[in-house]
Structures are given as structure tokens and as C-alpha cells.
Amino acid sequence: MTADTPIKGPTSIVNALREVVGEANVLTSLNEAAAYLTDWTRQFSSEALAVVRPGSTDEVAEVVRICSAHNIAVVPQGGRTGLCGGGVPVAGDPSVIVSLTRMNAIRSLDETGRTVVAEAGVVLETLQDAALTNGLIFPLMFGAKGSCTIGGNLSTNAGGSNVVRYGTTRELCLGIEAVMPDGSVINALTGLRKDNTGYDLKDLLIGAEGTLGIITAAVFKLFPAPSARATVFLSAASLESAIAVLNRLQDHTGGGVEAFEYMPQPAVDVIRKVFPDIRSPLENPAETGILVEVASSRPADAEEMEDGSIRLNSDVMELLADCMEEGLVLDVMVAQSEQQRNDLWRMRESILEAITESGPAYHLDISLPLAQIAPYVNEMDAQMAQLGFQPLTVGHLGDGNLHYALSAAEGRVWEELPLEGAKQKVFALLTRLNGSFSAEHGIGQSKLPVMAALKEQTQLAAMHAIKRALDPSNTMNPGKLLPPV
Amino acid sequence: MTADTPIKGPTSIVNALREVVGEANVLTSLNEAAAYLTDWTRQFSSEALAVVRPGSTDEVAEVVRICSAHNIAVVPQGGRTGLCGGGVPVAGDPSVIVSLTRMNAIRSLDETGRTVVAEAGVVLETLQDAALTNGLIFPLMFGAKGSCTIGGNLSTNAGGSNVVRYGTTRELCLGIEAVMPDGSVINALTGLRKDNTGYDLKDLLIGAEGTLGIITAAVFKLFPAPSARATVFLSAASLESAIAVLNRLQDHTGGGVEAFEYMPQPAVDVIRKVFPDIRSPLENPAETGILVEVASSRPADAEEMEDGSIRLNSDVMELLADCMEEGLVLDVMVAQSEQQRNDLWRMRESILEAITESGPAYHLDISLPLAQIAPYVNEMDAQMAQLGFQPLTVGHLGDGNLHYALSAAEGRVWEELPLEGAKQKVFALLTRLNGSFSAEHGIGQSKLPVMAALKEQTQLAAMHAIKRALDPSNTMNPGKLLPPV
């Protein structure tokens, strides 16, 4: 196959697709389509009949109808920043990739109702900027914000750092427009806070990873922009102490904790090894390091700093002083400028790259009830050390989500380590403590085996029944999310 | 049929049910069962083979299996406080009522994770009290709190006065345990804030009014108890002004508005006619009266009053003074004691009874995007007056939910008024302005015609497909929520 050969497959379908979206928006040569065939992880890449880039909801619907009629798999695609391979075709299936990136309009923004209607292809950061221009925020926040799209965020129910205050994408979304597997369109962009008229189709499609239809647009809640913020790195006495501090902070600020990120010393060490210019926030090692951000839109909470920047007033500092006196907190570093705040967040956001650079690792995206976090981490860290692993853990501690990565301990060779046995221990304890094996990344292709092994059979059966009912020909993103029966 | 005759139907099924739940928990005489055959509205009453009161999830599952095997309708029932007839059998169907009231255990309360696991039969107020005992609140709040049950709240996705801050029942629930139509059980009482492992079955069952299964228990979020509160009755210059005040208050308090209730003068008048001891909060009539409650858990916000009670500090009062100066607010009455606060809330909660006592009325439970509330109310009030109606409207303005009731205008006779024409106008404008015809009460039996007329066909088709997939024998609460195809 040369770079100019059609990727694969029948000309008649490609011609039909061209009639719908225009010649320029059907990519069939490998040259043009290569970028769409793999994702950020580079673990999943495959082939497709074509990449189609519809420019409207009607075009999406028509494309879905054509593919359904020809029994061709439809693979909806956003910014390709997913971590489980949900946005690229499964090798072997004749597939059409439907890239939503041309549907990138912000259709309307309602300042009174504090809502915004955005199409699936809008980049998250673009939506954040549009909100800020109106004195509001769209609080979804994570590393991929500059390239991920709203449609992908919805389909994976993306989470990130601010879930502790504002919820996941699901909780931010008030309504959707979607193309169903038969090409019919659901128009539910209502922006209502209360609407009890039948089954909750919105939440069924959110997090369904494109297997039940294609979300083409959504209404989201917007929030008042904080007028002041405190960003703090603290060393907690233990994970239990950290969670006690979290609850104290929540009470004290009326739920103002925007981020509460776990950054223990081993994670800071690996970051500093790969990025030597990043400095440790505290002089002494922080076994239980926590990056905390508290914010408020209350004018009375804003205090001007020496460099002219605005910071949260001293309330929070007084509480942290109390926590130190009580022994819950060992040390605190308060960001004194926007620069120091950015440095702390740069450190937090460097961890995935740092681990990847440092050598092979197995990444977990788990969540636990808050009260089970400490027992879990303490027991797992000990067990993994015994097996020769160095756990490199960070996480959104405020919402119980840990990114728990296993790397080879100093002096150990990755290939010789008992990874399968380690996984079994990790998941066994997770199940025992009522945890989730996929907190915010979803299932895609990579987590199908663990989904098959750990998800309750009754729930899997209900999911399969729903999939068969809404997509009887199994056209929509097959081979994702649901393990084969 | 005498009071001691079995209600109806085959002895073999009744015997099988008795074996599962015990003789005392299968009611078959009209004497015993009468209360279960109707609900609070007294509009829906019918007959049943038996009322069964299971004491455990396993018993619920066994009851469902028996009914399914005999093709008998299962009608799950809570506190019978629903307003649309969802909890009583449809006349004519051979039905078994499954009352969840014996499953009333609070299984556990996690102070660290701030969650509680409650069974379906727990009365809402009981759950509120259990939370308060632990210094936390369960913020779901409405008039029926002393008799409605958690299971009914979930099945109807109940709303109420505090949704503006804490969300509906759906948003308060983190996980469920449920018996599916085939008698299998979903165990998902995990209490996780993030869990992306497949389709969102929890939200599918919430609000499904028992038509897809029976929720037997749930995990809920709890919140810090406010340490201080300000309760205010204000007269806004207009509905537009009221919504501007709402947004200003939200910014100013960091989202601390707990209730923002619309109480215009006609509603206050009808309350005072029926309950003469209730006093108008303000001297002058308030065309756009609003009952506002703002609360905070921040210690710094608490200020002791002369009578020893605690009130929110003066921040909010300063903002309201600004709003008066700008002409958004015409007058303000601040509750100076717990007694005055209770008086304001008693007034708010008397409205339904007052309307009912005053004469015939047609009740609507609608919601609109905030920006459409004023255009809607202004146009509808004018149109309804022209037709001879007096609208008696109250509502949870903060979340866009209006309880818009049509009564006969002074000097007009209800029976002679063009109700059907009025309904058509009400719904036509609602549809045009992207509103919902059932904000928080659900569909049940009474709203099936409007559901059939107004809900988008694509959405109805998807709902029917899901219902057929999960309940192929149509055993679970048939004749509710979904209009016949």
C-alpha cells in the first residue's frame, strides 16, 4: 500500500460519504489520514476505509445512516487524547472514522442562565476562554485541555483536578444533541436544571464512549470566576491526616476546595530526575505531599499581595496553622505569586511525562471511597515493594481518584518483575475495598479484559441489553467499552 | 366484595408470596390494604392482588421473580406522596404492590467520606436527622419530607427548594442497589465520586419511576451543616431583576444561595385568605416576592443575634442594600429570629394546601432556562387573565422551576373556563422557549398524554427500546412514564 492508495475498501461508500460532506472532508489516502489512525498513547493504531469530517449534525446523521446501511463500523473521534484507545478503530473491522473537529462552534452563551452550548469539536481550552471572556468559568481542567474536545470529554465523562468542587463532565452537562445509531437525532439542548420527563438519555450517552450514538453538541453549566485563590503545597502527617485536613478545609471555606492533589515524595523525586529545573516545594521530603487550591468568588475574600496579584485572605492560612499545631500538617509552602502557583501546577502536570521518560511502568486509574484510600495505599505500597516495584502515585485525592503507577524499584529489571501477580493483588484489594478499576479514563480497548473480569455480571448483562436495543447492528464504535459476551 | 375478601386473584401466587415475606407481610383484604391502593392526591386508586412488604433485597428479588413468572405487574411503592400516580396500580392490570417501607435501615454512615447508605424505605426526614446527628446535612428538602421515602425520591428524581445549591436527588446519589425486572440484583453501593466503568445504570434507574427495576438502597453525599444562615423576603422590581439579584448573590456568597423561591402577591393573597394567621412579610404588596435563604458553614460568617440565634454576617445585607440602591430590589424583610424564619417557610409550604382549599385549579410543574422565565410568566399571565384564569404561581426560581397553577379569576366560574385551550397555550409557549412540562414531579399516569404529545419522538423511541430490552415482559410498573406506542 502506497501513500496515495485508498486506505481500503469499496469506492461506492466513499463516494456516498463524499456527497454528504464534500470531497475535501473524506480522507482516504494514508498520507492524509495517518494522524487519525492512532492516538496520543500510540498504543492503538489501525486502518479505516476513510476519515470523514462532517460539518453539521445533519451531515453526521447522514454519515451514520450510510455506514449503518453498509454494515460499516462508525468510530467517533475527538482530539485523540484518550488513554484507553476508545477513539481509534479496532484492527480488522471495516471502519469509518467520524472526526468531529470541524463541528467547533460555540453556538450560544447565556450570561443570565450561566450556560453555554458548544459543539462536540470545540477544544476544551477554547470553551474555558469563551467563558472567561464573560466573567465566568467552565471548570473542567486537566493536562490535555489544549487539544482534547468537548465531545471526547463527554464520551469519556472526563474528570481531572477540579472534580472535588465542580464534578465530572457529566455533572457539568445539562443537555445534549446526539445522533443515534439509526441516524435519528435527539435534540435536548435545553439547559434546564430540572427536567423529569422520562429516562435519562443524556447520562446514558455521556460516558458511553460513542457506542450508543454520537454526541454532536451539549449545554454546560458555567460558574462565577473566582476573584481570589490560595495555592498551597503541604506535607501532611499521613494520608489519614490529609483527608482530615480536606474535610476541615471544606467546612471552613464552604466547599471552596478546587483541587486537592496527592503528590508524595517518590513522585516528586521522579519529576525532579527528569526535569531538574523543577524545585521541591518544601525543604524536607514530604512523604504525603498535597497540592491544595482553594478559591472564592466573594469580594471580601480577596487580598492584594506585594506583587499586585490577588490572593485569598488569611482565613485558610489560620486553619492550616491550626492543623500544624494539631500535628495533622508538618509543613506548608504558600504560593506568593502567580509564578509560584504556576510552578506548583507545572510540577503536578509533569508527572505522566516524567514516569514515561523514566522507564517502563504499568498505569492504573483507580478510585476508592475516601475512608479507604489510606488503607489501600499503605497495603499496596508495602506489597508492591516486596515484589520489586516502586509505586509512583499521584492523584486527585479530593475525589478519591489515584493514578497509581508501578515502575521497577531501584536496581530491579522491569522485564523480570511479576507484573501479572502484581495486577492481581492490586485488583483484589481494590474490589475488596469497593473501589473502581477505571475512575476517569474509561474502558476503550485497553481495559476490556479487566472490565470482563471485575464488573458485576448483572450490570454487564444490562449494558449488553441496552447496547443491543439501541444499536442492533452494532455499528457504533464496536469493540469498545463492552467486553464480548 | 367484603372487607375480608381477598382483594382479587389466584391463591397460588399469594401463597408463594407469603412463603417469601411471611404471612403478616402479604396483605390481601381490603381492610388492610386500602391505604396502599391510593396516594396523597386521591386521584388514583385501584385494586391489586396483594400488597407485599418485603424486608430485604433478597425478598424483593424473589417477589419480582414470582410476579414475572406469573405475568403479574409489580408496582413499587414508597410513601405515596407522589403527585402523578406513579406509585399505585393502573386500574385493570392484575398487580402486586411492593411496599418498600419495611426496608428502612440506614445501613452505614461514613463521616470521613461524608456518605450514607440508606434503604429505599427510609423516610427522608429520618435520613436528614441521621446526618445532622453527625454534624452533616442531607440537603433534599420539600413539604412531604416527613412521609416520603428515599426510594420514591430516587424513582422520581425528587427536587424541592435546595436544588439551586445541592442539585436534585440524582446529583445527591453516588450509587444504588437495585432489583432488575428479571429478579437479578445490581450491587453498586460504592460511594465513589468517579467511576467510569460502562453505561450509567444508576442514572438510568433514577427517575425511571420503577419501570426498569426497584431501587432497594442507595449511597448519598452528605454536606457540612451550615453554621449560619440568612433568611430574607424581598420584593424585586421585576422577575428580570430577581434573577439579576440571584446571580449577584451567588457571586457574592460563593454559591451560598440555598433557596430562591418565587412568591408573588397573588400567591401570598390566597395563602392569607385560607390561613388568616399568616402575615404578609412586607407592608406593601410585592408583585415579585422572593423568599431567599443563604447559608454558610464558614465560622467567620456566623454572627450572634440578640435572641441568641446565629445569623449570617452582614455581607449579604450590604449586597441587598446595593441592590435596593440600584433599583433591583424595592423592599426587604430579614428574619430576625428562628421564629420569623419558620413563619416565612410556613407561608411558602402552605401554598399547595391554600390553592386546593380555595377551589378548583389546574397545576403545572414546569421549568425553563432562567433567561426565559420572565418572558414566559409575563406572556402567560396576560394570556391566562384574558381567558378568565387567575394564575397562582410559586416556584423554585433559583433552578428555573415554576409551579404554575390556573384557578378561576374573581367572579368567573371554573366549569365555564376554556381549560383545554389554556393548556394548549401554556404548552405551546413552553415548547417554544425550551421548557419542560415536568420539572420535578415526573410522569406517572397523569402526565402520559402530555408526554405523548410533547416529548420528542426520537427520545420516546429510545426509551421504549430500553424498556423492552430491560423488561421484555413489561412487568415493572406498567402503564407509567411511557405512553403506549
Side-chain angles (χ1 to χ4, degrees), chain B residues 194-221:
Chain B
K194 281 182 181 167
D195 181 18
N196 280 344
T197 55
Y199 302 151
D200 183 4
L201 301 176
K202 165 180 90 70
D203 284 315
L204 189 60
L205 266 76
I206 294 176
E209 304 184 10
T211 63
L212 298 178
I214 302 182
I215 298 174
T216 48
V219 199
F220 293 102
K221 301 178 194 169

PDB file of all heavy atoms in Angstrom, chain B residues 194-221:
ATOM      1  N   LYS B 194     -15.875   9.207  41.376  1.00  0.00           N
ATOM      2  CA  LYS B 194     -15.508   8.982  39.976  1.00  0.00           C
ATOM      3  C   LYS B 194     -15.536   7.484  39.707  1.00  0.00           C
ATOM      4  O   LYS B 194     -14.893   6.718  40.440  1.00  0.00           O
ATOM      5  CB  LYS B 194     -14.075   9.477  39.713  1.00  0.00           C
ATOM      6  CG  LYS B 194     -13.891  10.963  39.538  1.00  0.00           C
ATOM      7  CD  LYS B 194     -12.415  11.250  39.228  1.00  0.00           C
ATOM      8  CE  LYS B 194     -12.121  12.715  39.059  1.00  0.00           C
ATOM      9  NZ  LYS B 194     -10.665  12.983  39.075  1.00  0.00           N
ATOM     10  N   ASP B 195     -16.227   7.084  38.651  1.00  0.00           N
ATOM     11  CA  ASP B 195     -16.276   5.660  38.305  1.00  0.00           C
ATOM     12  C   ASP B 195     -16.759   5.547  36.868  1.00  0.00           C
ATOM     13  O   ASP B 195     -17.953   5.625  36.609  1.00  0.00           O
ATOM     14  CB  ASP B 195     -17.224   4.918  39.265  1.00  0.00           C
ATOM     15  CG  ASP B 195     -17.286   3.429  38.962  1.00  0.00           C
ATOM     16  OD1 ASP B 195     -16.389   2.916  38.271  1.00  0.00           O
ATOM     17  OD2 ASP B 195     -18.246   2.766  39.425  1.00  0.00           O
ATOM     18  N   ASN B 196     -15.827   5.393  35.948  1.00  0.00           N
ATOM     19  CA  ASN B 196     -16.176   5.325  34.525  1.00  0.00           C
ATOM     20  C   ASN B 196     -16.024   3.904  33.996  1.00  0.00           C
ATOM     21  O   ASN B 196     -15.150   3.613  33.191  1.00  0.00           O
ATOM     22  CB  ASN B 196     -15.311   6.297  33.713  1.00  0.00           C
ATOM     23  CG  ASN B 196     -15.818   7.724  33.807  1.00  0.00           C
ATOM     24  OD1 ASN B 196     -16.950   7.962  34.218  1.00  0.00           O
ATOM     25  ND2 ASN B 196     -14.991   8.671  33.435  1.00  0.00           N
ATOM     26  N   THR B 197     -16.886   3.017  34.459  1.00  0.00           N
ATOM     27  CA  THR B 197     -16.796   1.620  34.048  1.00  0.00           C
ATOM     28  C   THR B 197     -18.110   1.192  33.392  1.00  0.00           C
ATOM     29  O   THR B 197     -18.865   0.405  33.941  1.00  0.00           O
ATOM     30  CB  THR B 197     -16.477   0.714  35.252  1.00  0.00           C
ATOM     31  OG1 THR B 197     -17.464   0.944  36.278  1.00  0.00           O
ATOM     32  CG2 THR B 197     -15.116   1.033  35.835  1.00  0.00           C
ATOM     33  N   GLY B 198     -18.353   1.746  32.221  1.00  0.00           N
ATOM     34  CA  GLY B 198     -19.525   1.314  31.461  1.00  0.00           C
ATOM     35  C   GLY B 198     -20.689   2.269  31.570  1.00  0.00           C
ATOM     36  O   GLY B 198     -20.558   3.368  32.103  1.00  0.00           O
ATOM     37  N   TYR B 199     -21.825   1.845  31.034  1.00  0.00           N
ATOM     38  CA  TYR B 199     -23.003   2.711  30.974  1.00  0.00           C
ATOM     39  C   TYR B 199     -23.483   3.081  32.376  1.00  0.00           C
ATOM     40  O   TYR B 199     -23.371   2.319  33.323  1.00  0.00           O
ATOM     41  CB  TYR B 199     -24.143   2.024  30.207  1.00  0.00           C
ATOM     42  CG  TYR B 199     -23.802   1.622  28.799  1.00  0.00           C
ATOM     43  CD1 TYR B 199     -24.423   0.533  28.203  1.00  0.00           C
ATOM     44  CD2 TYR B 199     -22.846   2.323  28.063  1.00  0.00           C
ATOM     45  CE1 TYR B 199     -24.118   0.152  26.903  1.00  0.00           C
ATOM     46  CE2 TYR B 199     -22.536   1.954  26.761  1.00  0.00           C
ATOM     47  CZ  TYR B 199     -23.161   0.868  26.196  1.00  0.00           C
ATOM     48  OH  TYR B 199     -22.857   0.490  24.916  1.00  0.00           O
ATOM     49  N   ASP B 200     -24.077   4.253  32.458  1.00  0.00           N
ATOM     50  CA  ASP B 200     -24.505   4.826  33.725  1.00  0.00           C
ATOM     51  C   ASP B 200     -25.870   4.261  34.123  1.00  0.00           C
ATOM     52  O   ASP B 200     -26.905   4.899  33.948  1.00  0.00           O
ATOM     53  CB  ASP B 200     -24.568   6.347  33.542  1.00  0.00           C
ATOM     54  CG  ASP B 200     -24.942   7.053  34.834  1.00  0.00           C
ATOM     55  OD1 ASP B 200     -25.073   6.376  35.870  1.00  0.00           O
ATOM     56  OD2 ASP B 200     -25.113   8.286  34.787  1.00  0.00           O
ATOM     57  N   LEU B 201     -25.865   3.052  34.667  1.00  0.00           N
ATOM     58  CA  LEU B 201     -27.125   2.402  35.042  1.00  0.00           C
ATOM     59  C   LEU B 201     -27.799   3.106  36.215  1.00  0.00           C
ATOM     60  O   LEU B 201     -29.031   3.149  36.300  1.00  0.00           O
ATOM     61  CB  LEU B 201     -26.863   0.929  35.383  1.00  0.00           C
ATOM     62  CG  LEU B 201     -26.248   0.095  34.253  1.00  0.00           C
ATOM     63  CD1 LEU B 201     -25.957  -1.317  34.752  1.00  0.00           C
ATOM     64  CD2 LEU B 201     -27.182   0.056  33.049  1.00  0.00           C
ATOM     65  N   LYS B 202     -26.983   3.655  37.106  1.00  0.00           N
ATOM     66  CA  LYS B 202     -27.545   4.389  38.247  1.00  0.00           C
ATOM     67  C   LYS B 202     -28.504   5.483  37.769  1.00  0.00           C
ATOM     68  O   LYS B 202     -29.657   5.545  38.206  1.00  0.00           O
ATOM     69  CB  LYS B 202     -26.406   5.017  39.056  1.00  0.00           C
ATOM     70  CG  LYS B 202     -26.843   6.090  40.032  1.00  0.00           C
ATOM     71  CD  LYS B 202     -25.690   6.685  40.802  1.00  0.00           C
ATOM     72  CE  LYS B 202     -25.033   7.890  40.164  1.00  0.00           C
ATOM     73  NZ  LYS B 202     -25.871   9.114  40.161  1.00  0.00           N
ATOM     74  N   ASP B 203     -28.029   6.323  36.870  1.00  0.00           N
ATOM     75  CA  ASP B 203     -28.872   7.435  36.436  1.00  0.00           C
ATOM     76  C   ASP B 203     -30.018   6.993  35.542  1.00  0.00           C
ATOM     77  O   ASP B 203     -31.003   7.713  35.392  1.00  0.00           O
ATOM     78  CB  ASP B 203     -28.024   8.518  35.758  1.00  0.00           C
ATOM     79  CG  ASP B 203     -27.247   9.328  36.787  1.00  0.00           C
ATOM     80  OD1 ASP B 203     -27.855   9.698  37.803  1.00  0.00           O
ATOM     81  OD2 ASP B 203     -26.046   9.552  36.597  1.00  0.00           O
ATOM     82  N   LEU B 204     -29.883   5.809  34.941  1.00  0.00           N
ATOM     83  CA  LEU B 204     -30.991   5.276  34.162  1.00  0.00           C
ATOM     84  C   LEU B 204     -32.133   4.856  35.086  1.00  0.00           C
ATOM     85  O   LEU B 204     -33.307   5.100  34.794  1.00  0.00           O
ATOM     86  CB  LEU B 204     -30.509   4.090  33.323  1.00  0.00           C
ATOM     87  CG  LEU B 204     -31.488   3.559  32.286  1.00  0.00           C
ATOM     88  CD1 LEU B 204     -31.848   4.628  31.265  1.00  0.00           C
ATOM     89  CD2 LEU B 204     -30.913   2.335  31.579  1.00  0.00           C
ATOM     90  N   LEU B 205     -31.798   4.249  36.226  1.00  0.00           N
ATOM     91  CA  LEU B 205     -32.848   3.806  37.157  1.00  0.00           C
ATOM     92  C   LEU B 205     -33.421   4.963  37.969  1.00  0.00           C
ATOM     93  O   LEU B 205     -34.605   4.955  38.310  1.00  0.00           O
ATOM     94  CB  LEU B 205     -32.332   2.687  38.073  1.00  0.00           C
ATOM     95  CG  LEU B 205     -32.668   1.291  37.516  1.00  0.00           C
ATOM     96  CD1 LEU B 205     -31.747   0.936  36.354  1.00  0.00           C
ATOM     97  CD2 LEU B 205     -32.654   0.231  38.573  1.00  0.00           C
ATOM     98  N   ILE B 206     -32.570   5.962  38.276  1.00  0.00           N
ATOM     99  CA  ILE B 206     -33.085   7.143  38.974  1.00  0.00           C
ATOM    100  C   ILE B 206     -34.025   7.881  38.017  1.00  0.00           C
ATOM    101  O   ILE B 206     -33.687   8.116  36.856  1.00  0.00           O
ATOM    102  CB  ILE B 206     -31.936   8.066  39.433  1.00  0.00           C
ATOM    103  CG1 ILE B 206     -31.100   7.369  40.506  1.00  0.00           C
ATOM    104  CG2 ILE B 206     -32.487   9.395  39.966  1.00  0.00           C
ATOM    105  CD1 ILE B 206     -29.883   8.156  40.959  1.00  0.00           C
ATOM    106  N   GLY B 207     -35.184   8.219  38.490  1.00  0.00           N
ATOM    107  CA  GLY B 207     -36.150   8.924  37.647  1.00  0.00           C
ATOM    108  C   GLY B 207     -36.950   8.014  36.733  1.00  0.00           C
ATOM    109  O   GLY B 207     -37.789   8.492  35.970  1.00  0.00           O
ATOM    110  N   ALA B 208     -36.713   6.699  36.786  1.00  0.00           N
ATOM    111  CA  ALA B 208     -37.433   5.772  35.904  1.00  0.00           C
ATOM    112  C   ALA B 208     -38.762   5.328  36.516  1.00  0.00           C
ATOM    113  O   ALA B 208     -39.485   4.532  35.928  1.00  0.00           O
ATOM    114  CB  ALA B 208     -36.574   4.562  35.566  1.00  0.00           C
ATOM    115  N   GLU B 209     -39.071   5.848  37.691  1.00  0.00           N
ATOM    116  CA  GLU B 209     -40.377   5.605  38.335  1.00  0.00           C
ATOM    117  C   GLU B 209     -40.699   4.119  38.477  1.00  0.00           C
ATOM    118  O   GLU B 209     -41.849   3.709  38.333  1.00  0.00           O
ATOM    119  CB  GLU B 209     -41.487   6.361  37.566  1.00  0.00           C
ATOM    120  CG  GLU B 209     -41.202   7.861  37.461  1.00  0.00           C
ATOM    121  CD  GLU B 209     -42.312   8.675  36.796  1.00  0.00           C
ATOM    122  OE1 GLU B 209     -43.394   8.133  36.563  1.00  0.00           O
ATOM    123  OE2 GLU B 209     -42.071   9.870  36.507  1.00  0.00           O
ATOM    124  N   GLY B 210     -39.665   3.331  38.747  1.00  0.00           N
ATOM    125  CA  GLY B 210     -39.890   1.915  38.998  1.00  0.00           C
ATOM    126  C   GLY B 210     -40.205   1.094  37.762  1.00  0.00           C
ATOM    127  O   GLY B 210     -40.579  -0.069  37.870  1.00  0.00           O
ATOM    128  N   THR B 211     -40.034   1.663  36.577  1.00  0.00           N
ATOM    129  CA  THR B 211     -40.390   0.908  35.370  1.00  0.00           C
ATOM    130  C   THR B 211     -39.231   0.057  34.845  1.00  0.00           C
ATOM    131  O   THR B 211     -39.423  -0.740  33.934  1.00  0.00           O
ATOM    132  CB  THR B 211     -40.837   1.848  34.229  1.00  0.00           C
ATOM    133  OG1 THR B 211     -39.739   2.691  33.868  1.00  0.00           O
ATOM    134  CG2 THR B 211     -42.017   2.702  34.646  1.00  0.00           C
ATOM    135  N   LEU B 212     -38.027   0.241  35.399  1.00  0.00           N
ATOM    136  CA  LEU B 212     -36.869  -0.544  34.933  1.00  0.00           C
ATOM    137  C   LEU B 212     -36.282  -1.411  36.046  1.00  0.00           C
ATOM    138  O   LEU B 212     -35.269  -2.075  35.836  1.00  0.00           O
ATOM    139  CB  LEU B 212     -35.777   0.400  34.393  1.00  0.00           C
ATOM    140  CG  LEU B 212     -36.153   1.260  33.182  1.00  0.00           C
ATOM    141  CD1 LEU B 212     -34.996   2.173  32.809  1.00  0.00           C
ATOM    142  CD2 LEU B 212     -36.545   0.383  31.997  1.00  0.00           C
ATOM    143  N   GLY B 213     -36.892  -1.391  37.214  1.00  0.00           N
ATOM    144  CA  GLY B 213     -36.374  -2.146  38.339  1.00  0.00           C
ATOM    145  C   GLY B 213     -36.753  -1.444  39.626  1.00  0.00           C
ATOM    146  O   GLY B 213     -37.376  -0.376  39.604  1.00  0.00           O
ATOM    147  N   ILE B 214     -36.385  -2.065  40.755  1.00  0.00           N
ATOM    148  CA  ILE B 214     -36.712  -1.485  42.056  1.00  0.00           C
ATOM    149  C   ILE B 214     -35.420  -1.118  42.771  1.00  0.00           C
ATOM    150  O   ILE B 214     -34.596  -1.992  43.066  1.00  0.00           O
ATOM    151  CB  ILE B 214     -37.511  -2.478  42.931  1.00  0.00           C
ATOM    152  CG1 ILE B 214     -38.799  -2.904  42.213  1.00  0.00           C
ATOM    153  CG2 ILE B 214     -37.818  -1.867  44.292  1.00  0.00           C
ATOM    154  CD1 ILE B 214     -39.663  -3.861  43.038  1.00  0.00           C
ATOM    155  N   ILE B 215     -35.219   0.158  43.035  1.00  0.00           N
ATOM    156  CA  ILE B 215     -34.059   0.581  43.815  1.00  0.00           C
ATOM    157  C   ILE B 215     -34.316   0.202  45.273  1.00  0.00           C
ATOM    158  O   ILE B 215     -35.325   0.600  45.848  1.00  0.00           O
ATOM    159  CB  ILE B 215     -33.832   2.100  43.677  1.00  0.00           C
ATOM    160  CG1 ILE B 215     -33.539   2.455  42.210  1.00  0.00           C
ATOM    161  CG2 ILE B 215     -32.693   2.551  44.585  1.00  0.00           C
ATOM    162  CD1 ILE B 215     -33.453   3.948  41.938  1.00  0.00           C
ATOM    163  N   THR B 216     -33.417  -0.597  45.842  1.00  0.00           N
ATOM    164  CA  THR B 216     -33.627  -1.066  47.217  1.00  0.00           C
ATOM    165  C   THR B 216     -32.767  -0.327  48.232  1.00  0.00           C
ATOM    166  O   THR B 216     -33.056  -0.357  49.426  1.00  0.00           O
ATOM    167  CB  THR B 216     -33.346  -2.572  47.311  1.00  0.00           C
ATOM    168  OG1 THR B 216     -32.090  -2.850  46.671  1.00  0.00           O
ATOM    169  CG2 THR B 216     -34.447  -3.376  46.618  1.00  0.00           C
ATOM    170  N   ALA B 217     -31.700   0.314  47.764  1.00  0.00           N
ATOM    171  CA  ALA B 217     -30.837   1.087  48.673  1.00  0.00           C
ATOM    172  C   ALA B 217     -29.968   2.009  47.832  1.00  0.00           C
ATOM    173  O   ALA B 217     -29.832   1.813  46.620  1.00  0.00           O
ATOM    174  CB  ALA B 217     -29.954   0.166  49.518  1.00  0.00           C
ATOM    175  N   ALA B 218     -29.405   3.027  48.480  1.00  0.00           N
ATOM    176  CA  ALA B 218     -28.573   3.977  47.739  1.00  0.00           C
ATOM    177  C   ALA B 218     -27.536   4.606  48.654  1.00  0.00           C
ATOM    178  O   ALA B 218     -27.710   4.647  49.877  1.00  0.00           O
ATOM    179  CB  ALA B 218     -29.445   5.069  47.108  1.00  0.00           C
ATOM    180  N   VAL B 219     -26.432   5.049  48.053  1.00  0.00           N
ATOM    181  CA  VAL B 219     -25.424   5.847  48.763  1.00  0.00           C
ATOM    182  C   VAL B 219     -25.653   7.297  48.389  1.00  0.00           C
ATOM    183  O   VAL B 219     -25.781   7.614  47.203  1.00  0.00           O
ATOM    184  CB  VAL B 219     -23.982   5.535  48.308  1.00  0.00           C
ATOM    185  CG1 VAL B 219     -22.982   6.016  49.342  1.00  0.00           C
ATOM    186  CG2 VAL B 219     -23.790   4.096  47.974  1.00  0.00           C
ATOM    187  N   PHE B 220     -25.639   8.168  49.378  1.00  0.00           N
ATOM    188  CA  PHE B 220     -25.838   9.600  49.134  1.00  0.00           C
ATOM    189  C   PHE B 220     -24.652  10.409  49.654  1.00  0.00           C
ATOM    190  O   PHE B 220     -24.003  10.031  50.628  1.00  0.00           O
ATOM    191  CB  PHE B 220     -27.101  10.094  49.835  1.00  0.00           C
ATOM    192  CG  PHE B 220     -28.369   9.539  49.274  1.00  0.00           C
ATOM    193  CD1 PHE B 220     -29.043   8.510  49.919  1.00  0.00           C
ATOM    194  CD2 PHE B 220     -28.893  10.038  48.091  1.00  0.00           C
ATOM    195  CE1 PHE B 220     -30.220   7.998  49.405  1.00  0.00           C
ATOM    196  CE2 PHE B 220     -30.069   9.530  47.564  1.00  0.00           C
ATOM    197  CZ  PHE B 220     -30.733   8.501  48.225  1.00  0.00           C
ATOM    198  N   LYS B 221     -24.438  11.552  49.011  1.00  0.00           N
ATOM    199  CA  LYS B 221     -23.487  12.542  49.511  1.00  0.00           C
ATOM    200  C   LYS B 221     -24.085  13.255  50.718  1.00  0.00           C
ATOM    201  O   LYS B 221     -25.268  13.560  50.738  1.00  0.00           O
ATOM    202  CB  LYS B 221     -23.230  13.629  48.456  1.00  0.00           C
ATOM    203  CG  LYS B 221     -22.696  13.178  47.134  1.00  0.00           C
ATOM    204  CD  LYS B 221     -22.556  14.411  46.207  1.00  0.00           C
ATOM    205  CE  LYS B 221     -22.353  14.001  44.766  1.00  0.00           C
ATOM    206  NZ  LYS B 221     -22.467  15.122  43.824  1.00  0.00           N
TER     207      LYS B 221
END
